[in-house]
């Protein structure tokens, strides 16, 4: 297990380094932030002074070298717009995005697994067809359209839920969260539901497929022959066998929820890192864009590392094949 973790960790560090290079070069190529930050009527001397102040007068290699050295010390540069450390802006907004992703994932799991079990245990029934049709809609309809429909129905027509913002936050174990107040929960329902719909459909289909593949196997027939109740067969034997793909996909999808919450946060004006990214791209705030991408990629990598470790614990064959 130790060798397995060390190997995965080494691969993760290499991916982070390669990503930092690609992201820095890519962001450098999208335009000159001075054109946006400096007024059009600024003099040549003022323009040159701004370029030097932002460190944009040096070559790309020199800028990347300085960035890499500073990044190793946790310094990703200062925002051109806010004049604050870029990483501090990310961490100020990150709790809101993590909260949104966690609630969306919880919704997807709490509804997706039971619905997938029901559909898998009653194949080709009206219930199965209804659930699978709903999952197809969750896959097919664009995320932004789903968000707008949720706002139109529940905010505009019915007036049940607020359409934007994070609402009032409270503290749980010293952490500010919308889950600690009714107003915060009301503001959280629509964006979390919007973000969860795709993952909900994925979990339903994954669970149904796992159930359909597991139920005909010999050990299920043997369990029935032993006189085990259907509830125990499903809750212990079936769930245990479909757990590995669910753990893998859920781990991957949690990273996706964080990375792709941009659309949901923009539609619902949720003050997370996704909305910060859109605002920063609009004004070419390079340090914030680079910091955001590196933080998200690093989170993706370490979530995948954690999934690999859990996967190897659930299925020792994976661990053994890696060490041979």
């Amino acid at each position: 297990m130790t060798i397995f973790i060390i190997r995965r960790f080494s691969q993760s560090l290499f991916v982070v380094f390669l990503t930092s290079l690609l992201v820095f070069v890519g962001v450098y190529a999208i335009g000159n932030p001075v054109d946006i930050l400096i007024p059009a009527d600024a003099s040549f001397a003022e323009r040159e002074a701004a370029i030097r102040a932002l460190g944009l007068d040096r070559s790309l290699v020199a800028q990347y070298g300085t960035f890499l050295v500073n990044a190793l010390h946790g310094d990703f540069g200062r925002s051109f717009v806010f004049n604050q450390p870029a990483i501090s802006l990310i961490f100020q907004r990150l709790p809101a995005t993590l909260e949104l992703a966690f609630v969306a994932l919880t919704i997807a799991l709490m509804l997706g697994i039971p619905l997938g079990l029901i559909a898998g245990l009653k194949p080709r029934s009206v219930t199965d067809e209804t659930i699978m049709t709903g999952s197809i809609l969750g896959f097919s309809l664009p995320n932004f359209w789903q968000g707008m429909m949720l706002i139109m129905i529940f905010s505009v027509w019915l007036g049940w839920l607020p359409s934007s913002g994070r609402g009032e936050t409270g503290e749980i174990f010293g952490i500010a969260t919308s889950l600690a107040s009714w107003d915060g929960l009301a503001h959280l329902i629509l964006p979390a539901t919007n973000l969860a719909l795709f993952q909900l459909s994925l979990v339903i289909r994954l669970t149904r497929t796992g159930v359909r593949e597991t139920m005909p196997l010999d050990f299920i027939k043997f369990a029935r022959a032993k006189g085990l109740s259907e509830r125990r067969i499903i809750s212990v034997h079936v769930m245990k066998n479909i757990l590995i793909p669910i753990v893998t996909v859920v781990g991957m999808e949690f990273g996706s929820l964080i990375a792709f919450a941009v659309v949901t946060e923009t539609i619902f004006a949720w003050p997370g890192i996704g909305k910060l990214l859109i605002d920063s791209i609009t004004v070419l705030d390079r340090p914030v864009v680079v910091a955001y991408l590196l933080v998200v990629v690093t989170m993706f990598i370490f979530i995948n590392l954690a999934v690999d470790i859990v996967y190897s614990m659930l299925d020792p064959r994976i661990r053994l094949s890696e060490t041979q």
Side-chain angles (χ1 to χ4, degrees):
M1 176 61 78
T2 302
I3 296 175
F4 176 82
I5 294 175
I6 292 174
R7 181 177 298 175
R8 281 286 190 266
F9 186 74
S10 301
Q11 293 172 351
S12 300
L13 290 178
F14 175 74
V15 172
V16 171
F17 167 74
L18 184 61
T19 301
S20 71
L21 178 60
L22 294 176
V23 166
F24 194 88
V25 173
V27 172
Y28 184 88
I30 63 176
N32 188 354
V34 173
D35 295 335
I36 296 177
L37 298 174
I38 302 300
D41 58 350
S43 65
F44 179 79
E46 292 173 337
R47 184 180 178 87
E48 289 297 311
I51 291 175
R52 287 194 300 272
L54 296 176
L56 301 177
D57 56 330
R58 296 177 298 162
S59 67
L60 175 61
V61 175
Q63 290 185 49
Y64 178 71
T66 302
F67 165 77
L68 191 61
V69 172
N70 292 336
L72 293 174
H73 295 86
D75 181 7
F76 290 86
R78 299 183 71 85
S79 167
F80 296 160
V81 176
F82 297 98
N83 195 28
Q84 296 180 29
I87 196 65
S88 69
L89 286 173
I90 298 296
F91 287 148
Q92 287 172 14
R93 304 286 191 95
L94 185 59
T97 298
L98 291 177
E99 175 183 88
L100 182 62
F102 175 76
V103 174
L105 186 62
T106 301
I107 292 173
L109 291 176
M110 291 182 65
L111 296 179
I113 292 177
L115 290 175
L117 281 172
I118 293 171
L121 294 172
K122 298 180 179 180
R124 292 179 294 276
S125 65
V126 175
T127 302
D128 177 36
E129 295 296 333
T130 302
I131 293 174
M132 296 312 295
T133 301
S135 70
I136 291 173
L137 291 176
F139 274 124
S140 305
L141 298 177
N143 184 254
F144 70 88
W145 187 86
Q146 295 172 0
M148 290 188 294
M149 289 301 101
L150 288 172
I151 291 174
M152 181 177 294
I153 295 171
F154 294 101
S155 297
V156 179
W157 290 353
L158 299 176
W160 289 354
L161 297 168
S163 62
S164 63
R166 193 180 180 190
E168 182 183 351
T169 60
E171 288 193 356
I172 298 178
F173 303 115
I175 301 175
T177 173
S178 300
L179 299 173
S181 70
W182 289 112
D183 183 62
L185 284 171
H187 282 79
L188 182 59
I189 291 173
L190 287 185
T193 301
N194 179 229
L195 191 59
L197 287 176
F198 181 86
Q199 280 67 32
L200 173 61
S201 302
L202 182 63
V203 173
I204 288 174
R205 300 181 74 87
L206 184 67
T207 304
R208 180 186 183 276
T209 301
V211 172
R212 297 291 298 132
E213 291 177 349
T214 303
M215 292 303 290
L217 297 180
D218 290 340
F219 74 92
I220 297 295
K221 298 177 182 177
F222 183 71
R224 287 198 178 104
K226 287 177 62 178
L228 295 180
S229 66
E230 199 70 15
R231 180 185 297 272
R232 180 170 177 80
I233 291 173
I234 294 171
S235 61
V236 176
H237 298 283
V238 174
M239 286 300 297
K240 182 179 180 180
N241 279 271
I242 66 175
L243 183 63
I244 291 177
I246 289 178
V247 167
T248 303
V249 172
V250 164
M252 295 288 291
E253 286 305 309
F254 185 71
S256 299
L257 285 171
I258 297 172
F260 301 115
V262 175
V263 175
T264 297
E265 291 185 358
T266 302
I267 293 173
F268 292 93
W270 187 263
I273 57 175
K275 189 171 187 304
L276 176 65
L277 173 67
I278 295 299
D279 295 339
S280 299
I281 291 175
T282 302
V283 295
L284 294 180
D285 197 347
R286 289 179 184 171
V288 176
V289 175
V290 173
Y292 166 86
L293 293 174
L294 287 182
V295 167
V296 170
V297 167
T298 302
M299 292 177 65
F300 243 116
I301 289 171
F302 283 99
I303 287 173
N304 291 346
L305 177 62
V307 169
D308 285 340
I309 293 172
V310 173
Y311 201 119
S312 67
M313 290 178 178
L314 293 173
D315 190 350
R317 294 172 298 176
I318 303 298
R319 184 168 66 250
L320 291 174
S321 64
E322 288 287 337
T323 56
Q324 289 177 351

